[in-house]
Amino acid sequence: MSTSTRSPVWQGSFSQTGDSRVSRGRPDWTDAVFFLLLALGAGFALTRYSQAMDYYEKLILCGTVPVLAWLGWLWRPLRRLMLACALATGLALLLYQNDLGRADEVFWLKYLFSSQSAILWMSMLFILATACYWIGIVSPTAAWLGTALTWGAVFAGVTGLLVRWREGHLMGPDLGHIPVSNLYEVFVLFALMTALFYLYYERKYATRALGGFVLLVISSAMVFLLWYAFTRDAGQIQPLVPALKSWWMKLHVPANFIGYGTFSLAAMVGFAYLVKQHGETASWRKLVPLFVLGVLLCAEPMVFRSEGLSATWMIYGGVSVVIVSAILLARRRIAQALPPLEVLDDIMYRAIAVGFAFFTVATVLGALWAADAWGAYWQWDPKETWALIVWLNYAAWLHMRLLKGLRGTMAAYWALIGLLITGFAFLGVNMFLSGLHSYGEL
């Protein structure tokens, strides 16, 4: 199978190990200043809000300073994002003046900086970015706009979550908590994690051709988030159930959703791999398995309904199938813009490896949390069981990759099937299988 076709957009700027624009040099004075700013911010939080934190939460806050400083050195654009989000969040808190009622009175809060406004902006920017990335297949300028809109969406989403954290405390001392406790909040977290990892790989590999594929799964999450927010009033901040009132949540949930986000990214890169592979052949017969799997992925959100199908999800499923069909019909043109198959395979492997590491950590942390909350590390709760299934699936993928040389078509199909499994573990278990983790029911 030939893999020599390259897009002029990135030809010559790529190497198998990545783009030099993300190469890391020695820390310089800007890294020291960034670390100092993080330390000052943590010190301010410890001084101002110490009464809202226990001993372990204070340790976690202090521990995030070197971690964020290291991430900022590892990937410099992340520093600009963190600084911008900190400034926007600080402005929002100043506008609130410790009065939550100002969210409907102050223009900048009502239409931009309140948590729900920011998250709505995030949703729309992700959807617009998806369209721009696909237009960018034929117009590089539109692809650049897709990247800018994706960064804008991440900025809005991170700001929204940070402001929401403070809003909870303004509602009452017993309501404030890190905003990763329910389905609405973790959908935002999922979109942000997936987008950030994609933006890293986009820069590392100097190609924007994957943006349309990866943003499809994020846009699907945004459609669900908007439907959930407007039909179930899910954006309201609710008090935590007793089992969630724990500092473990600050560690377990983010690690878990780094896994979900990178697994989803790997699946969409696998989809791109198969589109490029089949774009170099005229055989429709070989497209049938990919089309069937694409339809199943489009239909999966439709079954996450406890009350049967609705017009919204029937339209969603129909539009999604049309999009998958259009991608397969235009596969030859899309294949020309995509990186070589070896590059797609490498991104898929790296994403799954990172996701598996974090998902493993999240599973261990979840067991420790369970022992603290319920007195047992493992109880074969449906959520725990499906988390184990997800873990075993990707453990097997990596085993076959590292020991048996799994590559190419089989690896890509397996990554796509993994998204079906992960999707059910993420949503389906909460919808259909009651248990100790039933915090996100519809």
Side-chain angles (χ1 to χ4, degrees):
M1 184 69 66
S2 172
T3 59
S4 60
T5 304
R6 295 191 176 190
S7 167
V9 174
W10 56 269
Q11 186 173 8
S13 63
F14 169 81
S15 69
Q16 184 70 21
T17 57
D19 182 2
S20 61
R21 289 177 297 175
V22 295
S23 59
R24 298 177 298 277
R26 294 174 61 86
D28 56 25
W29 68 270
T30 62
D31 296 293
V33 170
F34 183 62
F35 178 83
L36 179 61
L37 290 174
L38 290 172
L40 289 173
F44 174 80
L46 287 171
T47 303
R48 185 74 176 271
Y49 306 113
S50 60
Q51 73 281 359
M53 295 182 282
D54 60 24
Y55 173 77
Y56 295 103
E57 289 169 328
K58 292 175 183 178
L59 285 179
I60 292 171
L61 176 61
C62 293
T64 58
V65 172
V67 171
L68 292 179
W70 174 72
L71 289 174
W73 167 75
L74 185 71
W75 186 30
R76 296 301 173 87
L78 201 58
R79 295 194 311 191
R80 295 191 288 271
L81 173 68
M82 286 188 275
L83 290 173
C85 291
L87 291 173
T89 303
L91 176 59
L93 299 188
L94 287 174
L95 292 173
Y96 266 120
Q97 297 180 7
N98 293 323
D99 180 7
L100 199 59
R102 290 172 60 84
D104 295 323
E105 300 171 358
V106 179
F107 177 86
W108 293 106
L109 290 175
K110 186 175 182 179
Y111 296 106
L112 194 62
F113 289 122
S114 70
S115 64
Q116 291 196 35
S117 296
I119 289 170
L120 284 175
W121 276 108
M122 175 201 72
S123 302
M124 298 311 300
L125 288 173
F126 272 136
I127 293 171
L128 289 174
T130 305
C132 288
Y133 272 124
W134 282 111
I135 296 172
I137 296 294
V138 295
S139 173
T141 302
W144 176 88
L145 182 58
T147 300
L149 289 172
T150 302
W151 275 110
V154 171
F155 163 75
V158 173
T159 301
L161 286 183
L162 292 174
V163 174
R164 184 180 177 88
W165 198 342
R166 179 57 181 159
E167 287 173 348
H169 286 279
L170 292 178
M171 292 177 66
D174 296 330
L175 287 177
H177 57 268
I178 185 173
V180 292
S181 64
N182 58 40
L183 200 56
Y184 176 85
E185 293 166 350
V186 298
F187 253 94
V188 176
L189 183 64
F190 165 78
L192 294 176
M193 292 299 184
T194 308
L196 278 171
F197 274 95
Y198 164 70
L199 288 168
Y200 174 80
Y201 287 121
E202 177 185 276
R203 185 175 176 88
K204 178 179 177 64
Y205 288 89
T207 176
R208 294 190 172 100
L210 289 173
F213 289 91
V214 177
L215 268 289
L216 279 178
V217 74
I218 297 176
S219 291
S220 297
M222 294 303 95
V223 170
F224 186 95
L225 182 72
L226 293 172
W227 170 83
Y228 190 41
F230 286 110
T231 63
R232 303 304 172 89
D233 202 21
Q236 299 299 317
I237 299 173
Q238 301 294 334
L240 291 176
V241 299
L244 293 180
K245 293 180 179 179
S246 172
W247 58 271
W248 288 105
M249 185 168 66
K250 294 179 172 66
L251 300 174
H252 168 72
V253 177
N256 207 44
F257 279 87
I258 290 176
Y260 283 150
T262 50
F263 293 155
S264 299
L265 187 154
M268 300 313 292
V269 173
F271 184 29
Y273 183 100
L274 295 168
V275 167
K276 182 171 181 69
Q277 185 181 59
H278 294 307
E280 299 173 354
T281 177
S283 174
W284 275 94
R285 178 178 56 83
K286 294 183 178 180
L287 285 175
V288 172
L290 181 58
F291 177 76
V292 171
L293 188 53
V295 170
L296 288 175
L297 287 167
C298 294
E300 188 178 29
M302 296 172 63
V303 305
F304 295 148
R305 301 280 288 105
S306 57
E307 304 157 4
L309 292 177
S310 66
T312 301
W313 292 108
M314 291 178 70
I315 294 171
Y316 167 87
V319 170
S320 300
V321 171
V322 170
I323 291 173
V324 170
S325 302
I327 292 172
L328 295 181
L329 284 171
R331 66 192 187 280
R332 293 184 180 178
R333 179 66 186 88
I334 295 171
Q336 294 175 0
L338 288 169
L341 293 176
E342 301 93 337
V343 176
L344 296 173
D345 184 81
D346 188 57
I347 296 174
M348 185 167 51
Y349 162 66
R350 290 172 183 266
I352 288 178
V354 170
F356 181 76
F358 277 95
F359 197 77
T360 301
V361 171
T363 303
V364 173
L365 291 172
L368 295 172
W369 185 6
D372 186 34
W374 300 314
Y377 292 101
W378 195 271
Q379 302 185 64
W380 293 105
D381 174 77
K383 196 75 169 182
E384 294 173 345
T385 303
W386 274 91
L388 178 61
I389 291 172
V390 171
W391 188 89
L392 290 173
N393 173 67
Y394 289 106
W397 193 98
L398 289 170
H399 173 83
M400 295 297 292
R401 170 87 181 198
L402 298 174
L403 299 184
K404 302 295 182 181
L406 178 70
R407 297 289 193 281
T409 305
M410 181 61 182
Y413 272 116
W414 194 337
L416 269 174
I417 293 171
L419 183 56
L420 281 171
I421 298 171
T422 302
F424 187 82
F426 180 12
L427 271 183
V429 172
N430 297 68
M431 303 304 105
F432 303 118
L433 305 174
S434 61
L436 296 170
H437 292 76
S438 299
Y439 309 129
E441 294 181 355
L442 292 180

